[in-house]
Structure formats: structure tokens, C-alpha cells
Amino acid sequence: MTIGLTHYLVVAAVLFTGGLFTMMTKRNAIGILIGVELVLNSANVNLVAFDRYLGPGRIDGQIAALFVIVLAAAEAALAVGICINVYKNLATVDVDRATQLQG
Amino acid sequence: MPGGAGGWRRGLTQFSVPWRQERPVNYGFFARFIIALAKTVYAVAAPIVSRFPGAILICAVIGACLLVWVFALIFAYVDVHIIEVLPTVATTAHASPMPPPHAATPSPATWGVPPATIATLIKNAGGWPASFNGILQYLLWPVQFGIVRDLIGLVALLGLFVIIPVYTIWWERKVAGRIQSRLGPMRVGGWHGWAQSPADGIKLLLKEDLIPANADKVLFRLAPYLAIIPAALGFVALPFATTYVFRTLDVALVFILGVLGVEVFSVILSGWASNNKWSVYGAMREACQMVAYEIPMGMAVMVPVVVAGTLNLGKIGDAQSGGWFSWLAFSNPFAFVAFVVYYIASLASCKRAPFDLPEAESELVAGFHTEYSGIRWSFFFFAEYVVMFIVSGLATILFMGAWHSPLPMVWGERVAEFLGGGVLARGVNGLLFNGPIWFIAKCVFFLYVQIWLRWTLPRIRIDQVLYGCVQVLLPLTMVLLLGTAIWVWASTSDSAGWAIFASVINWILGIIGAGFALMFPAIAAYGFYHRRRLVGNLVVDALPGA
Amino acid sequence: MRSFFELRTLNFELHWLRSLAVAVPKRVRSLTLAALTLVRSLPLAALIVALSASAALADDDRAVAAAEGVPSAVAGGALEAALFYFVAGGVVLSVVGVCVSRNIVRMAVWLFIALGSTAMLYFMLAATFLGAIQLIVYVGGTLVLLVFGVMLTSKSPWVKFDCGKLELFSAAVVCLALAGALCMVLSKTGWSATPTIVPAPAIAVIGEQLLTKYLVPFEVAGVLLMIVMVGAAYLARQED
């Protein structure tokens, strides 16, 4: 069976929904970050799959995926910094307990 | 026998061992043949190995090369005599030893069918003189498929993966012993304890499998495998010569750097899963150090990439085929310094001293692998020594001429023409001018320098480690990258003055490099000549701060 | 220091070869001794022969190697399908693992497997440079950062934060519905894609495009990384 574009897009869709579920249901801040990484990876798989299947010799998708990887690393760094600061102040990374600005 | 005919027997008289008595035993022919073979091998190898401790490693390498040669002959034979003769297969017929990366594995519809019987073969080949050929074709029929060749290559890679750490550990113990005025392993196996490492491996296999009580069992078991898998993957892209590579990747260099970065995760996981705060400390320090030193390593690696213009390790190796002065370390002063920076960063990346804080035996018991015993512990050490070999391999390919000898390859071609171009000519070419032997010899030399540094230099504190990385090496690599880029850009301009200046600098750097290279055997000769005098006071007087 | 010959006279109880030598009858021993004296004179020649034989493999097929340096994605074939299902299965399994695990460190390990499988997908899509960059940056950098964050912020490995059952159920329903809808749309769309053998572009093209067509995003990404470094250093400062 020939592997076509649809197969890769389905994989990306599964990655996306998995990341979405993780973001929605985890209370640990780092868990939410893991969900964000999964969503960004799904976008990357989409970009590269279209790149390969819709035009021989095109690299625009790869370059966009490169930028996504770079930006994901940057925001993960900052987000982990924020989580560690929250831990220092609240002694927990449970996002349900970060309610000081609520109400 | 030397040492006196009864010398070794005299030593045994203290023990009432029954096998000392001579009994007339009639052995069969086969048993006597095996005994004679064993004694021959022993007698041939012992005089060499006793005088040169690295000879076993070299003999193993030669054995591996012979095996590769045999397989290459088989592959070439199959290409010429089977693929073109049997009426079936859709593989590409190259005469290269390792299969090209996309030799299309034939789909099931076109797989070749072997001749039915040997009788048919003889009939097809037209009589008895050609039937030997036919029988050989029948036996070698599976080798025509790319997947079979890949499997053979994989077995070779796994063999390398096992042999390299085993004998590097033995050699390290010998070198460490010599540095510390002792001999190292001497007993196991006879001469210079060559069987010490395999014996240790067998012992580790038989040890009790301990997992700490409250440890995360799944992650504890998983971590060693995450250490050896990236180490083995590094061999997939590492070329030992232009055609001696499992897969020629166009991004081989970045691939190897990437898989070496996966090692960090195994370290963290093993430290965490041990449920031991000292392991966690070791793991965190180690991860910090490895990740921090990946930056200067990556940037120092970019320097020869800028000079050579490609990430393909095979092409970078080919760019250094013009003899000693064409090696990329001597092409410009920035590359020379980049070689030193890369070597230091790679030492930190494989957690070798002086950066071996994670395994600091005197501080953290054993750091992240404290709780590991038996084969799991040896997996971590396999991974460490294989990574040492891979980074030495990268240092060789990127800076030190890869698989070329200090003599230019054009001379080798002339010599090969002079000798007629047959197997002997190519053999001499491979021995004197370029070939996988040179690559492995250079890797072994860099391993030796790593071992030497470990047993000479004291350990550096973690804050000194990170200071060195971020405040010394990182700005230095930025300057080097910029300088190399400007140098290469200036070399592309057609200015004669620049060309003269660049070649003068090339010569100067080459001579400095040759001076360093000749310094090693000179100091070794001095040490050997004065070896009785040097043990003792010199050690005390020469320590820093004395 | 003893010489080699003196060392050989020490008590080598473990020396099994010596025991063999004693047990062999005299006639055989003398014959083997004669053979050994002959062979002892040839080790250097044997070394040279071995070396040259192995070095005979320094083949001059460099043109072949150079031409084959470009990877390509081969379309068709059961092997490619099997590989794809294996890798995609790994991705799906690890995503399910991330969603289902309740221990944050296990989630990080499942994420590692997901990212590694995605890198393998990139290699299959002939984006080898991107796959290697994914391994270096994502697995070797971002994931290590996440795991550091996990370890610095967790009190014990077994603390679990769980959602209520209602939230889990509704989230699962929404996500499964979304996944189903996406898969249906994707399979029903007629993509104008033909899976032919695609020669992967050379890395030089990527580099050139980064510096010509995508120069502005490249520089902006550099400035952004600098801002992120400043921000992270500020966040991680020690309050004195």
C-alpha cells in the first residue's frame, strides 16, 4: 500500500489532538507544556509532509518547520523559567492553585 | 624456552597441582591440530604483544579489516557473477563494498528465484570447469539483495560496538597502570592480561540484578538502553573510508551530533530513577555539563564545515587527500584552535576527565550510575567508550585528515600505477596513502590522548566547568567561526597576495602540527630510555604547586 | 621492574595454555616447536600481508559514493509501508502514553519517544536536515529542559495531579470528535499529490534560502532568541 499524504496528515492530527487533550486535562504546569510541544510537533509534521508531497525539491516547509523548532525551544525555556518561579513562590506547580489574581 | 627450561615449572612446584605430572595421553589428530594452532597463535602474538601493548587492538582491527575484505570480495563477486547472470533481480550492480543507500530492495514480484539444483547450475554453466562458479553463485544467492548486505553491515556495526569498548577498557587500564608506575592487568589470558576485559564482561553478566526498592522500575530498566542506542546509531553515519560507511548521509555530521545529544536524556533518567539523591545530583550536573558543552562543540565543528563546504563526512574526508598540509586543522589558524576547542568540548561531552564530575568516584560514589550493577552498568560504560570513539572519529575526519596518510593521495595513485593496478597495488595504496587502517589508527591515537588526559589531570569543579564553557569556549568559538568565514571568503577572491599569505600560514601551521605530532614519540622515547630513573622523585617534584 | 621473561616465570596457575602444553605428548610437542620456530620468523611479513590485503579495499569508486550522497524518498514497496506504520504507530502510542500517564516523569519519557519517532518521520520524508535538527534541538535541548523543570519542581516521583472525572470525560469526547472529524476530512480531500521518487534538496539550498528568501525571519529569530535569553536569565536570577 502506497503511503500518501493523507497518512502523514492523520499522524499529525493524532499528535494535535493528543497535545490538546494533554493541555486540557493536566494540572501540572509542565504537563501543559508537554502538550504544547506535541501540538507544535504536529504542525511541523504537517509542514514537512506537504513540502514533500506537493512539490519536488521544495524546502519552504522545512524552513518553516525549522523556525517552529527554534521558537518552540525558546518558549519552552521561558515557560520552564516561569514554572520554576511559580514553584518558588507557591511551593507547587499545580495550576489550580495559582489563584492569587482570581476574582 | 626462555627464562630457563625449568623456570616456569619451578614456580609451580609449590603447588601440588596434578596436571604438572606428565601422562602419556593419545590425542586424536583434530585435537592435536587445535592444540598446535593455539600454540602457534600464542607464539606468534606473544613476542609482539608483550613489547607493544596496543598490538592486540591493532590485531583485532586487522582481523576486522580482513573480515570486511572477505565480505567486500563476496559482494563484488555477487555483483559481477550473479546479478548479471541470473535473470531476475532489480538491484543496482555496483562494485562498492558497502551498498549504496538506496539500492532498491526488490519488491516481492521481482525477487530472483535461485536455480533449482546444482545439476541445473552445472548444465547452465556449461560443464565442470565452470561449475565451481555456479556452486558459488548458488551459495551466495542471498547476498544480491540490499537487505542482506544491510544485515551483514549491521552485524559488523554491532561487532564494532562490542569490541571497541571492551578493548578500550583494557587499554585504559594498561595505560593508567603505566602512568602510575605499575603494570595494569597481567594475569588473565596470559600476556598482559588481554582477556581481562572479556572476563570482566562475563563476570558482570553473572552479577545479581539489583533494583532499588522505591525506584521507578520501568525507567530504571529503560535508562541504560537509552544510553547504548544513540551510541550505536552514531556508527551508522560515521565513515571509516569513502566507501566504508553504512549509510552515506548528506547530513552525517548533524546526525551524529543529534544522536550524541540523546545521551543526556539517559543520564538524567538513570539518576532520577535510582531514587537516590546523590544520583540525582550527579545526573543534574552531568546533564548541565553535557548540554552546555554541546554548544562550543557544535560551533567548533562548523569551522571545518565552512572550510570544506559540506556536512557530508565522506566529502570532508575527501577534501583532505593532499597530504599533511591539506588537513583541515592546518588550513587556517582558526581551524587549528577550533580543533583544540572541539577536543576539549568533546571530552566534556563524553564525561571524561578532567570533566568527570558525574562519575566522581571520590565524591558521589559513582554519580548517576551508583545504583546500577552488572550488565546495566556495563551498558553505560559501553555507551561512554563508544561515544569516545565516535567523537575521536569526528575529530579525525573533520580536522586530522580522516582516512588519509600524511602523504598525498596523488603519490599513491602514481605508486599504484607503477605497481600495475592489481590487488597488490591497491593494497600498498591503502597501507601507505589512504584507507580505513589510517582512520582507525588516528582514532586510537585520540583515544590514547583521552586516556592520558584522564589519568594526568585533576578533576574540575562544576562551576569551573560551566565557567570554562560559557565564558571561555563560547566567545572563542564565535570568534573562530567568524574568522574562518572571513578567511574562506578572502580565499575565494583572486588576490595573489592573499593566496601567498594563506599558503605561508598553512605551512607554518603544518610545521607546528608536525612538531606536536613528533613530540609524542620523542617524549615516549625519552621516557622509555630513562624509565628506571623516572619512577620516583620525578613524580613528586613535577606535581603542580610543588 | 622485571623484564618480560622474568615475569613469565611467576606462578601462573591460571595459565591454561601451559597445562595444555604439558599434556601434549612429546612427539607432537617437538613438531609444534619446529613449526613455531618457522612461524616466529614471519610475524612481520604476516602483518604486512594482512594489512595490504585489508587495504586492498581502498576502492576507487569515489564517484559512486559522491553520486549516491543524495538521499531520496523511495515511493512504493512493502518495506516503506511497514516502516511508516511502525514509526507512526510509535508516534500514536507515545501520544496516548502522554495523555494517559499520571506521573510527570513518565510523561516526559513518552514525549521523548514521540519526538524521536517524529524525527524518524522526518527522515522518511527525506527531510534529513530537519530530522537531525529535531534530534539536536528538540530532544537534546527542549526535552532536557522540560525534564530539568520536572525535577526541580516535583516533591516526589509519585505525586499525581489529577483532574476530575467529568473534565477527563468531556475532554476525551471533544478530542476524539476533533480527531475523527480531522481524519474524515483529510481522507476525503483530493490532494493533488503524487508520491513519486523525490530527490531531496541539498543542504546548500536550505542555507542559501535562509540567507536570501528567508533572511528577515532568520534575523528576527536571532533577535527573538536573544530576548528569550535575557528573559530567562532575568527569571532565573537570585533575589539577593
Side-chain angles (χ1 to χ4, degrees):
Chain A
M1 173 180 183
T2 315
I3 302 298
L5 178 59
T6 321
H7 296 85
Y8 288 98
L9 296 182
V10 163
V11 170
V14 168
L15 268 170
F16 180 78
T17 48
L20 193 64
F21 181 82
T22 312
M23 276 198 279
M24 285 201 282
T25 58
K26 300 295 177 192
R27 271 165 55 178
N28 193 331
I30 313 259
I32 298 176
L33 269 176
I34 290 178
V36 171
E37 300 302 328
L38 284 176
V39 169
L40 288 165
N41 267 291
S42 84
N44 271 346
V45 171
N46 255 331
L47 283 167
V48 180
F50 276 114
D51 201 31
R52 179 242 188 274
Y53 277 101
L54 288 188
R58 282 167 68 136
I59 50 150
D60 302 309
Q62 281 187 46
I63 293 185
L66 203 65
F67 282 120
V68 169
I69 289 179
V70 164
L71 293 173
E75 57 94 16
L78 273 181
V80 167
I82 293 175
C83 290
I84 292 180
N85 266 339
V86 164
Y87 183 77
K88 270 193 224 166
N89 288 327
L90 296 177
T92 179
V93 277
D94 188 352
V95 294
D96 282 353
R97 301 263 215 98
T99 56
Q100 287 175 349
L101 290 176
Q102 196 176 39
Chain B
M1 285 200 193
W8 61 274
R9 287 196 201 183
R10 195 175 59 231
L12 293 170
T13 52
Q14 305 170 23
F15 303 90
S16 56
V17 185
W19 43 261
R20 183 182 153 265
Q21 298 162 9
E22 290 191 37
R23 289 189 297 274
V25 178
N26 290 325
Y27 286 97
F29 170 74
F30 187 68
R32 286 182 294 181
F33 175 73
I34 294 291
I35 290 168
L37 199 63
K39 292 175 71 175
T40 314
V41 169
Y42 177 78
V44 164
I48 304 166
V49 175
S50 66
R51 283 164 183 77
F52 182 46
I56 278 205
L57 209 61
I58 292 184
C59 289
V61 160
I62 292 170
C65 289
L66 278 176
L67 207 62
V68 169
W69 177 59
V70 164
F71 278 123
L73 276 186
I74 291 179
F75 292 167
Y77 178 81
V78 165
D79 280 333
V80 173
H81 291 285
I82 294 192
I83 292 180
E84 292 170 9
V85 167
L86 288 180
T88 47
V89 194
T91 51
T92 51
H94 288 278
S96 56
M98 288 289 186
H102 40 278
T105 310
S107 50
T110 60
W111 272 23
V113 176
T117 57
I118 297 190
T120 323
L121 266 175
I122 295 175
K123 196 163 56 106
N124 286 348
W128 254 110
S131 65
F132 173 72
N133 225 9
I135 294 172
L136 206 56
Q137 292 174 21
Y138 190 80
L139 290 173
L140 293 179
W141 172 78
V143 183
Q144 67 184 318
F145 299 110
I147 199 164
V148 172
R149 298 193 194 196
D150 278 353
L151 280 174
I152 294 175
L154 274 176
V155 167
L157 284 188
L158 287 176
L160 262 182
F161 181 77
V162 169
I163 296 286
I164 284 175
V166 162
Y167 279 99
T168 311
I169 291 176
W170 170 80
W171 202 32
E172 166 157 19
R173 292 174 67 169
K174 297 298 285 186
V175 170
R178 294 287 178 165
I179 289 177
Q180 296 170 349
S181 300
R182 57 183 177 89
L183 286 170
M186 289 294 292
R187 288 178 168 249
V188 182
W191 63 85
H192 284 281
W194 65 267
Q196 177 73 52
S197 244
D200 278 340
I202 296 173
K203 171 202 76 174
L204 284 167
L205 276 171
L206 300 172
K207 277 196 168 186
E208 181 186 358
D209 184 15
L210 293 166
I211 300 183
N214 292 330
D216 193 345
K217 288 190 180 14
V218 175
L219 297 183
F220 188 86
R221 289 191 176 107
L222 182 67
Y225 299 104
L226 286 182
I228 57 170
I229 290 174
L233 276 180
F235 277 123
V236 165
L238 189 71
F240 282 58
T242 313
T243 49
Y244 278 72
V245 56
F246 191 73
R247 287 286 183 263
T248 46
L249 286 181
D250 217 15
V251 290
L253 186 57
V254 192
F255 177 77
I256 293 181
L257 286 179
V259 299
L260 293 184
V262 177
E263 294 271 342
V264 187
F265 194 68
S266 87
V267 167
I268 300 181
L269 210 57
S270 66
W272 178 261
S274 302
N275 196 27
N276 177 350
K277 58 169 84 73
W278 309 111
S279 301
V280 174
Y281 284 167
M284 302 281 253
R285 295 203 292 197
E286 162 58 17
C288 211
Q289 172 189 306
M290 277 174 104
V291 169
Y293 274 91
E294 269 175 30
I295 308 173
M297 190 159 112
M299 289 177 76
V301 145
M302 285 300 131
V303 169
V305 167
V306 166
V307 175
T310 172
L311 284 171
N312 188 345
L313 286 173
K315 293 190 188 139
I316 295 182
D318 286 339
Q320 302 178 69
S321 59
W324 180 268
F325 294 97
S326 75
W327 290 1
L328 291 179
F330 310 126
S331 64
N332 71 65
F334 303 106
F336 197 74
V337 181
F339 169 59
V340 177
V341 169
Y342 169 76
Y343 200 71
I344 297 172
S346 70
L347 276 183
S349 182
C350 346
K351 350 186 225 321
R352 289 293 288 184
F355 303 102
D356 68 346
L357 211 55
E359 310 169 347
E361 278 145 10
S362 47
E363 294 180 22
L364 292 173
V365 184
F368 63 97
H369 53 76
T370 310
E371 301 284 350
Y372 285 85
S373 65
I375 193 71
R376 299 186 209 282
W377 178 89
S378 63
F379 277 167
F380 281 116
F381 266 78
F382 270 36
E384 173 173 334
Y385 283 92
V386 168
V387 169
M388 273 169 66
F389 186 85
I390 292 178
V391 295
S392 305
L394 278 184
T396 322
I397 295 179
L398 293 170
F399 294 100
M400 284 291 158
W403 43 87
H404 296 281
S405 80
L407 306 170
M409 199 171 78
V410 278
W411 296 6
E413 281 162 8
R414 279 187 220 139
V415 165
E417 272 177 43
F418 175 71
L419 286 176
V423 169
L424 176 64
R426 288 201 298 186
V428 168
N429 187 35
L431 180 57
L432 286 181
F433 297 100
N434 66 342
I437 292 278
W438 278 98
F439 176 79
I440 293 175
K442 290 182 204 176
C443 280
V444 160
F445 172 72
F446 284 123
L447 278 175
Y448 172 70
V449 174
Q450 287 189 351
I451 294 170
W452 180 15
L453 285 175
R454 175 184 183 176
W455 292 101
T456 314
L457 296 176
R459 190 171 293 132
I460 304 183
R461 280 198 324 263
I462 188 68
D463 63 310
Q464 290 172 331
V465 165
L466 293 172
Y467 172 89
C469 172
V470 178
Q471 298 205 33
V472 174
L473 288 185
L474 192 58
L476 185 61
T477 51
M478 288 180 186
V479 166
L480 292 175
L481 200 54
L482 190 64
T484 304
I486 294 177
W487 190 281
V488 169
W489 170 72
S491 302
T492 57
S493 68
D494 293 321
S495 141
W498 178 263
I500 295 173
F501 173 67
S503 61
V504 163
I505 298 284
N506 189 11
W507 275 87
I508 292 175
L509 288 173
I511 290 169
I512 294 175
F516 274 124
L518 292 173
M519 190 178 71
F520 286 111
I523 293 181
Y526 176 83
F528 183 75
Y529 184 68
H530 293 285
R531 63 188 178 281
R532 297 193 193 285
R533 184 174 71 79
L534 284 175
V535 174
N537 285 338
L538 187 66
V539 174
V540 173
D541 288 343
L543 280 177
Chain C
M1 244 197 251
R2 290 168 177 271
S3 74
F4 170 75
F5 301 116
E6 285 176 88
L7 287 169
R8 277 168 65 176
T9 62
L10 289 179
N11 301 328
F12 271 27
E13 311 85 57
L14 303 171
H15 203 185
W16 51 275
L17 270 179
R18 291 276 154 75
S19 64
L20 268 178
V22 171
V24 164
K26 273 205 176 104
R27 200 174 305 161
V28 177
R29 244 189 288 167
S30 55
L31 279 175
T32 52
L33 206 57
L36 286 179
T37 44
L38 269 178
V39 171
R40 251 178 225 210
S41 60
L42 297 174
L44 197 58
L47 257 176
I48 290 181
V49 165
L51 277 172
S52 62
S54 71
L57 257 281
D59 225 38
D60 41 4
D61 269 343
R62 267 173 216 103
V64 171
E68 310 281 348
V70 179
S72 72
V74 179
L79 197 63
E80 195 210 356
L83 195 63
F84 172 78
Y85 282 118
F86 176 68
V87 174
V91 173
V92 170
L93 191 71
S94 48
V95 161
V96 168
V98 168
C99 298
V100 164
S101 340
R102 293 155 71 191
N103 177 5
I104 187 73
V105 182
R106 297 252 176 113
M107 267 171 65
V109 175
W110 283 119
L111 180 68
F112 165 74
I113 298 176
L115 294 176
S117 310
T118 315
M120 281 200 265
L121 275 182
Y122 294 154
F123 280 115
M124 283 188 65
L125 286 166
T128 47
F129 183 66
L130 196 70
I133 293 290
Q134 162 101 348
L135 281 176
I136 296 180
V137 174
Y138 238 123
V139 174
T142 308
L143 186 68
V144 170
L145 187 66
L146 282 174
V147 174
F148 261 96
V150 161
M151 288 184 192
L152 289 173
T153 58
S154 76
K155 290 182 175 157
S156 92
W158 302 108
V159 165
K160 303 184 215 294
F161 303 132
D162 283 340
C163 281
K165 287 276 192 309
L166 180 64
E167 293 173 25
L168 270 176
F169 180 68
S170 48
V173 162
V174 165
C175 287
L176 283 173
L178 179 63
L182 277 172
C183 292
M184 215 166 58
V185 166
L186 289 170
S187 53
K188 291 222 158 57
T189 312
W191 304 105
S192 62
T194 46
T196 52
I197 297 182
V198 176
I203 311 303
V205 176
I206 295 182
E208 184 205 334
Q209 295 249 308
L210 271 177
L211 286 176
T212 54
K213 188 167 159 191
Y214 293 97
L215 181 61
V216 173
F218 184 63
E219 299 297 334
V220 167
V223 172
L224 187 114
L225 281 173
M226 187 191 72
I227 296 172
V228 164
M229 275 207 292
V230 170
Y234 176 77
L235 279 176
R237 76 192 184 288
Q238 289 175 342
E239 316 266 2
D240 289 327

